[in-house]
Amino acid sequence: MDSTFNWKPEQTLLKKVINLATERGQSPESIISEAVKLYLETQLLETVDYAVSDPLIGLFAATPDLAINSEDILQQEITKKSGWTWK
């Protein structure tokens, strides 16, 4: 299925696409198609990564014995600068 649309890029962008196509021995259309494909793949990955980095997911993905081991976990995280100090 062939589709066409009318696109008028900025002149500097058009020159860059043409120069890159010339360097690679490809058509400007193939460069633009490749760029759009990579952009769409990146957007899909960012959507997936956003869902993975949701801070609430950790509440449901923790080990079942988190409550039992909470004191040990806190003890391991203590540093010299942890807690309250006297002035």
Side-chain angles (χ1 to χ4, degrees):
M1 178 177 141
D2 287 340
S3 297
T4 60
F5 60 92
N6 189 8
W7 178 53
K8 295 181 183 181
E10 299 173 8
Q11 196 63 26
T12 56
L13 180 60
L14 181 59
K15 286 181 184 179
K16 288 179 182 181
V17 169
I18 291 172
N19 288 340
L20 182 61
T22 303
E23 289 175 15
R24 289 187 175 185
Q26 296 175 316
S27 68
E29 292 84 3
S30 66
I31 296 294
I32 292 169
S33 294
E34 181 182 347
V36 169
K37 180 180 174 184
L38 290 172
Y39 175 79
L40 293 174
E41 288 173 357
T42 302
Q43 292 302 307
L44 291 174
L45 288 176
E46 286 179 3
T47 303
V48 171
D49 288 344
Y50 177 75
V52 170
S53 67
D54 185 352
L56 292 178
I57 290 177
L59 294 174
F60 306 105
T63 60
D65 60 347
L66 181 62
I68 296 169
N69 295 330
S70 62
E71 293 294 325
D72 295 331
I73 293 169
L74 290 172
Q75 188 71 29
Q76 293 171 3
E77 297 295 321
I78 293 176
T79 65
K80 290 182 180 182
K81 295 186 178 184
S82 296
W84 297 92
T85 60
W86 292 96
K87 292 189 177 188

